[in-house]
Amino acid sequence: MTTDQAGPALGDRRWKALAVCLTSSFMTLLDTSIVNVALPSMQRGLHADDADLSWVISGYALAFGLVLVPAGRLGDLRGRREAFLTGLALFTLASAACGLARGATWLVLFRLLQGAAAGLVAPQTSGLIQQMFQGPERARAFGRVGSVVGFSTAVGPLAGGLLIQAFGSADGWRWVFFVNLPIGVTVFAAALRLLPRSPASPGRREGFDLLGVLLLGAGVLALMLPLVQEQQWPGRLKWALLPVAAGLLFAFWAWERHQGRRDRAPLIDLKLFSLRSFWLGAVLSLVYFGGFTTLFFVYTLFLQNGMNYSALEAGLASLPFAAGSVAGAAAGGRLVVRYGRGLVIWGLSVVSVGLLGVIAAVQWVPGRAVAVAAALPLLVAGIGSGLTISPNTTLTLSRVPVRRAGAAGGMLQTAQRIGSASGIAVVGAVFFAHLASHGSPAAALQLGLLTAVGIILMALVLAFADLRERRARPEPERRMESARQAT
């Protein structure tokens, strides 16, 4: 039943359900960055060493990335509403456990559980949007998702700084986790009332591909571990895990192909990769996240360690990007239906210009005034990011069948997590190497951001190639492809 047939009451309910999903997304994505500024407080409060602090950050990212695809498939099979509620309850309980942790080891364990719970929640949002919305409304819904992604990533340091300042440096870190409790309980109650149940699957009940889960999980783990631990694991031996990851992922691909030939339900329907919009959007998202998320990593390090900004001041300095991202994503959700991949090209170009503006501000503005000078370029970069993330998400998932929406959304977000980890490893290595050899935080930041711009330009090349190829094909061929994808 469509929105028009169901009437305005159902329409209002769908948008309220979307607000529930967006709030949960904000909360789980916020926890990827809010913890960063609380690390010194944790170190003092728990007497944690550097390895413990590293796992507080990387453990969450690892568990998050590992669970996404299986969680999306689980939602497709057993119900997205049920998977969402289960993940949200676990996330809220794990947040309470993190805040109450009496030792660093316990905190790391609870962060792993929290990350896994976040990974269970995340793909249900894209699946529910596919289920509840169609056409331009779906594009606007994904536009709001893009706003949440950009805003939560940028506002995390500010939220953490405010909580540390309000509750003190000794135990203020606990409130970084406790703040999730009232949000989680409220969202859970609203989700019980508003989220729709998944429609019953036609035909036989599909099974869950356990071997596929194990192969994919081991492959993603082997791929992400050396990336997220790049600074903590010295030496080159860690990179030996990359060929192991390649072997495991190839075995996963072969197994999924075997499952499809035997007419058994695979974890990932490999036919999705015959959809140009899906595979190209996923690759573009992986590359773009490898560039833009590194901004906050090196910029906050530069402000706090190089310019002696407090955690709160460093968080405030990131706000222009957050504001621009919200505005850009809202506009992108409206414009993507008209301009398609061309809008993504504009977004990537604007992000690059904004980051080059930040580099110029660091070069020409001395001292602590640099954050003021970088505010406008950050606003521009944020607008470009909003015009990139939400339109690309809409285009990537536009042809995906609703019954595969959760798994497809999980794959897209896994690509984003791998991209973020890879980008931080590369840009972080450039930043720290230059800092160690030359001792100039400003020069290290500039080189790091130039590397990030280079990564974003790779995404821009991908988007241009796609647009050019589409325009080069005859119109009848494009119509035939659209008809084939729609089925």
Side-chain angles (χ1 to χ4, degrees):
M1 183 180 292
T2 65
T3 308
D4 294 335
Q5 293 170 326
L10 179 56
D12 290 343
R13 185 184 181 91
R14 289 180 309 125
W15 289 104
K16 290 177 181 176
L18 176 64
V20 168
C21 294
L22 294 182
T23 306
S24 69
S25 296
F26 175 79
M27 183 172 60
T28 55
L29 289 172
L30 186 72
D31 266 59
T32 62
S33 60
I34 192 175
V35 173
N36 291 346
V37 297
L39 293 178
S41 176
M42 290 178 192
Q43 193 164 29
R44 288 189 294 269
L46 294 177
H47 305 291
D49 57 28
D50 289 343
D52 294 325
L53 297 180
S54 170
W55 273 98
V56 168
I57 300 296
S58 60
Y60 184 89
L62 274 173
F64 197 139
L66 287 172
V67 171
L68 282 166
V69 174
R73 184 64 179 139
L74 184 66
D76 291 340
L77 289 174
R78 302 293 183 256
R80 300 180 186 108
R81 179 179 183 271
E82 291 73 15
F84 181 95
L85 291 169
T86 302
L88 184 60
L90 286 173
F91 184 87
T92 305
L93 291 172
S95 297
C98 287
L100 295 171
R102 295 301 173 189
T105 301
W106 284 108
L107 179 59
V108 169
L109 289 174
F110 293 139
R111 276 288 280 178
L112 289 169
L113 177 60
Q114 191 189 34
L120 180 56
V121 172
Q124 315 313 327
T125 295
S126 58
L128 285 164
I129 289 174
Q130 296 280 87
Q131 179 182 328
M132 294 188 294
F133 299 98
Q134 293 180 353
E137 282 191 333
R138 183 181 290 176
R140 288 198 296 273
F142 277 123
R144 297 185 184 186
V145 172
S147 298
V148 167
V149 171
F151 185 76
S152 60
T153 304
V155 83
L158 172 61
L162 286 170
L163 289 168
I164 297 297
Q165 182 147 321
F167 294 100
S169 59
D171 286 320
W173 66 269
R174 298 185 184 275
W175 290 92
V176 167
F177 302 110
F178 287 151
V179 74
N180 292 329
L181 303 187
I183 301 173
V185 170
T186 303
V187 172
F188 188 90
L192 279 174
R193 184 170 60 90
L194 294 170
L195 291 189
R197 297 184 183 275
S198 300
S201 299
R204 62 181 174 83
R205 189 175 180 85
E206 295 182 346
F208 193 68
D209 183 8
L210 182 59
L211 181 57
V213 171
L214 295 175
L215 287 172
L216 179 63
V220 172
L221 180 65
L223 178 62
M224 290 187 68
L225 260 178
L227 297 174
V228 299
Q229 292 293 105
E230 198 276 333
Q231 295 298 320
Q232 287 71 36
W233 289 357
R236 298 179 180 178
L237 186 60
K238 57 178 174 284
W239 302 116
L241 283 172
L242 295 184
V244 174
L248 288 168
L249 293 174
F250 177 79
F252 168 75
W253 174 82
W255 170 252
E256 295 300 285
R257 196 176 178 192
H258 173 72
Q259 288 285 88
R261 286 175 173 172
R262 296 180 63 185
D263 196 28
R264 294 184 178 179
L267 179 64
I268 294 177
D269 187 353
L270 296 180
K271 292 179 182 178
L272 290 175
F273 293 97
S274 68
L275 303 179
R276 181 183 179 86
S277 58
F278 177 77
W279 71 258
L280 184 124
V283 173
L284 194 151
S285 189
L286 183 150
V287 177
Y288 176 66
F289 270 71
F292 108 94
T293 54
T294 61
L295 166 66
F296 309 104
F297 176 64
V298 294
Y299 189 56
T300 54
L301 278 175
F302 163 73
L303 291 177
Q304 289 182 272
N305 297 340
M307 296 289 104
N308 295 318
Y309 276 47
S310 68
L312 179 57
E313 289 171 328
L316 285 168
S318 302
L319 270 186
F321 186 98
S325 182
V326 171
R334 293 193 303 270
L335 298 174
V336 64
V337 176
R338 180 184 301 177
Y339 297 107
R341 188 68 67 189
L343 185 62
V344 177
I345 290 174
W346 273 104
L348 291 167
S349 302
V350 172
V351 174
S352 301
V353 170
L355 292 185
L356 290 173
V358 175
I359 294 171
V362 174
Q363 174 69 30
W364 298 110
V365 178
R368 289 171 58 86
V370 65
V372 177
L376 180 59
L378 282 174
L379 178 67
V380 171
I383 292 172
S385 186
L387 291 174
T388 299
I389 295 174
S390 64
N392 186 61
T393 302
T394 302
L395 295 169
T396 302
L397 300 178
S398 60
R399 301 289 183 182
V400 172
V402 173
R403 64 190 179 91
R404 302 293 185 193
M411 282 186 276
L412 178 61
Q413 293 185 62
T414 300
Q416 293 170 356
R417 301 280 77 76
I418 292 173
S420 296
S422 304
I424 289 173
V426 172
V427 175
V430 171
F431 178 84
F432 288 117
H434 194 85
L435 189 63
S437 60
H438 295 85
S440 170
L445 174 65
Q446 289 173 307
L447 196 57
L449 290 183
L450 277 175
T451 306
V453 171
I455 296 171
I456 292 170
L457 290 178
M458 291 170 58
L460 186 61
V461 169
L462 280 172
F464 262 119
D466 177 57
L467 189 64
R468 183 177 180 180
E469 195 276 340
R470 285 179 182 276
R471 289 178 175 175
R473 283 180 296 165
E475 181 63 27
E477 183 182 340
R478 291 201 296 268
R479 286 201 300 266
M480 289 177 63
E481 182 190 5
S482 297
R484 178 179 61 81
Q485 290 176 341
T487 58

